[in-house]
């Protein structure tokens, strides 16, 4: 009898393993794509994002390679994320030059009332549906102008957003190690000139994952910084060994990280749980309220304002500070909501019975320094030994386009004049 039970349990285990969905790690290649003769003469740009790499992490944890490379090139004191300082909105801002309210990815999770659909970053169908994404990503700009591009796991790179996917890309997964990603980038750069990508976007999630689970001051986060730093050093060395001319690197992050007060979270006002009147969307560092009956907006705002605590602010969408670019005048896709409840760091909103992580982001980076991101650039196109002041991340887009010789052919929020001074001969 015991033997029979063991066999049954083994069978169930095998069946359960067999039914687990397999992860597609196969590269996708768009056929019949070639660099034009003109594109083959242009520089190369490798744009690297390390998720959650706070502006001070390189020095805090002595990231040897990044410190050396940035000291030889250009380093910003910090880069200011777009609001809210969340992963998907900011990766799409970096790659389109648009603020989140202008490109439509206003959060990692949101509801579109016109489409009557939810968007969730973890939903593969959403992630690869370009109709959710506004703007033209840099790889799309390059492809339209006959320049081959490639992407390793950047937000939206497996979608047809802007009309064109990269020539080479992978559906998102986290099976590749940093060293494996490095080798794939190097392999792209060994392709024949007409097939070789001149713009490559590369994404590392490890630092953000450690920051969330253990906090920004943990040994695990330090180890993740060193892991990525080693990968960057290896990448640069291996590309140097190829002997290619004019390869340029831009290292960025989407946001920083802070340890939050998870032990004493803020209570969500009870009135907001009335589903006949409200929908609310809580990312814990920002709570967005959609009022279903527009005529109630002012009264609801006044009531929320009257009962708020000192640990958070209540804003009408039209009264949000203009520099945040997240109010009603900016909300081009009508996805944000009429009222915003914004906790003061390190406080968070948390529904009863739900858990939070040790580290979080999403706060206003102009008020919470820990939200600030990183920007380094080095290579033949960039000046050497230059330190620049803080700037907003939407300005990276026109900088990359300028280096690659691409014409920006649609309105963006970024301005070339902000970063043009870090380029040689400009």
């Amino acid at each position: 009898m015991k033997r029979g039970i063991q066999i049954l349990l083994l069978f169930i285990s095998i069946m359960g393993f067999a039914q687990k969905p397999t992860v597609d790690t196969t590269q996708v290649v768009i056929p019949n794509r070639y660099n034009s003769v003109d594109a083959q003469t242009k520089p190369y740009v490798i744009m690297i994002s390390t998720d959650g790499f706070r502006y001070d992490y390189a020095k805090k944890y002595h990231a040897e390679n990044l410190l050396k490379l940035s000291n030889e090139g250009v380093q910003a004191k910090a880069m200011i994320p777009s609001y809210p300082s969340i992963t998907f909105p900011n990766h799409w801002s970096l790659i389109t030059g648009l603020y989140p309210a202008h490109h439509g990815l206003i959060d990692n999770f949101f509801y579109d009332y016109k489409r009557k659909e939810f968007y969730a970053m973890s939903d593969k169908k959403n992630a690869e549906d370009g109709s959710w994404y506004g703007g033209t990503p840099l790889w799309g700009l390059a492809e339209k102008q006959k320049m081959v591009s490639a992407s390793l796991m950047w937000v939206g790179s497996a979608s047809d957003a802007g009309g064109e996917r990269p020539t080479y890309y992978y559906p998102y997964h986290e099976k590749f190690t940093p060293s494996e990603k490095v080798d794939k980038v190097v392999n792209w750069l060994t392709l024949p000139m007409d097939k070789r990508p001149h713009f490559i976007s590369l994404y590392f999630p490890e630092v953000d994952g450690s920051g969330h689970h253990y906090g920004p001051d943990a040994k695990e986060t330090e180890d993740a910084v060193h892991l990525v730093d080693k990968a960057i050093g290896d990448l640069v060395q291996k590309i140097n060994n190829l002997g290619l001319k004019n390869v340029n690197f831009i290292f960025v992050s989407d946001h920083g990280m802070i340890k939050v007060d998870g032990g004493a979270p803020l209570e969500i006002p009870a009135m907001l749980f009335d589903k006949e009147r409200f929908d609310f969307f809580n990312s814990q560092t920002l709570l967005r309220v959609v009022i279903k009956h527009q005529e109630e907006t002012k009264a609801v705002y006044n009531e929320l304002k009257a009962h708020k605590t000192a640990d958070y602010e209540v804003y009408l969408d039209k009264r949000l500070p203009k520099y945040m670019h997240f109010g009603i005048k900016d909300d081009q896709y009508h996805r944000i909501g009429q009222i915003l409840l914004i906790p003061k760091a390190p406080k968070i909103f948390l529904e009863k019975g739900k858990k939070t992580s040790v580290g979080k982001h999403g706060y206003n980076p102009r008020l919470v320094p820990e939200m600030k991101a990183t920007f380094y650039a080095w290579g033949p196109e960039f000046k050497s030994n230059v330190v620049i002041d803080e700037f907003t991340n939407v300005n990276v887009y026109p900088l990359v386009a300028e280096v690659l010789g691409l014409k920006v052919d649609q309105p963006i929020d970024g301005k070339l004049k902000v970063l043009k001074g870090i380029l040689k001969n400009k």
Side-chain angles (χ1 to χ4, degrees), residues 1-8:
M1 181 68 176
K2 184 177 180 181
R3 176 68 175 167
I5 292 174
Q6 289 176 335
I7 293 172
L8 177 61

Side-chain angles (χ1 to χ4, degrees), residues 271-337:
M271 64 183 292
L272 297 181
F273 289 90
D274 184 348
K275 291 300 181 182
E276 295 296 320
R277 300 173 63 198
F278 310 107
D279 286 331
F280 70 81
F281 304 91
N282 180 26
S283 64
Q284 300 185 7
T285 54
L286 169 64
L287 194 150
R288 298 182 292 106
V289 180
V290 175
I291 300 172
K292 296 182 177 179
H293 308 291
Q294 294 284 338
E295 67 276 8
E296 289 190 305
T297 300
K298 187 174 181 180
V300 170
Y301 167 74
N302 288 336
E303 185 172 353
L304 288 171
K305 189 88 170 173
H307 292 91
K308 81 174 189 69
T309 72
D311 289 320
Y312 67 93
E313 298 291 346
V314 180
Y315 286 100
L316 275 174
D317 54 5
K318 63 184 179 182
R319 294 182 184 172
L320 201 68
K322 290 182 179 180
Y323 72 81
M324 296 173 76
H325 300 282
F326 205 65
I328 188 170
K329 291 183 178 179
D330 290 287
D331 187 10
Q332 294 185 8
Y333 293 81
H334 307 291
R335 294 171 175 172
I336 296 173

Side-chain angles (χ1 to χ4, degrees), residues 204-317:
F204 294 113
E206 290 81 6
V207 173
D208 181 70
S210 294
H212 277 299
H213 284 100
Y214 305 104
D217 302 314
K219 178 65 164 58
E220 291 84 353
T221 302
E222 179 179 8
D223 291 344
V225 168
H226 290 159
L227 179 70
V228 172
D229 182 63
K230 182 181 184 304
I232 301 298
D234 291 343
L235 176 66
V236 172
Q237 184 59 55
K238 288 182 177 182
I239 291 176
N240 286 343
N241 291 342
L242 296 178
L244 294 177
K245 294 182 179 179
N246 213 347
V247 181
N248 301 276
F249 298 83
I250 297 177
F251 179 91
V252 296
S253 60
D254 49 352
H255 52 70
M257 188 71 67
I258 190 173
K259 183 177 181 180
V260 295
D261 184 3
L266 303 173
E267 290 188 9
I268 297 172
M271 64 183 292
L272 297 181
F273 289 90
D274 184 348
K275 291 300 181 182
E276 295 296 320
R277 300 173 63 198
F278 310 107
D279 286 331
F280 70 81
F281 304 91
N282 180 26
S283 64
Q284 300 185 7
T285 54
L286 169 64
L287 194 150
R288 298 182 292 106
V289 180
V290 175
I291 300 172
K292 296 182 177 179
H293 308 291
Q294 294 284 338
E295 67 276 8
E296 289 190 305
T297 300
K298 187 174 181 180
V300 170
Y301 167 74
N302 288 336
E303 185 172 353
L304 288 171
K305 189 88 170 173
H307 292 91
K308 81 174 189 69
T309 72
D311 289 320
Y312 67 93
E313 298 291 346
V314 180
Y315 286 100
L316 275 174
D317 54 5

Side-chain angles (χ1 to χ4, degrees), residues 415-421:
K415 301 289 188 293
L416 177 59
K417 65 181 181 180
V418 174
L419 293 175
K420 191 172 184 179

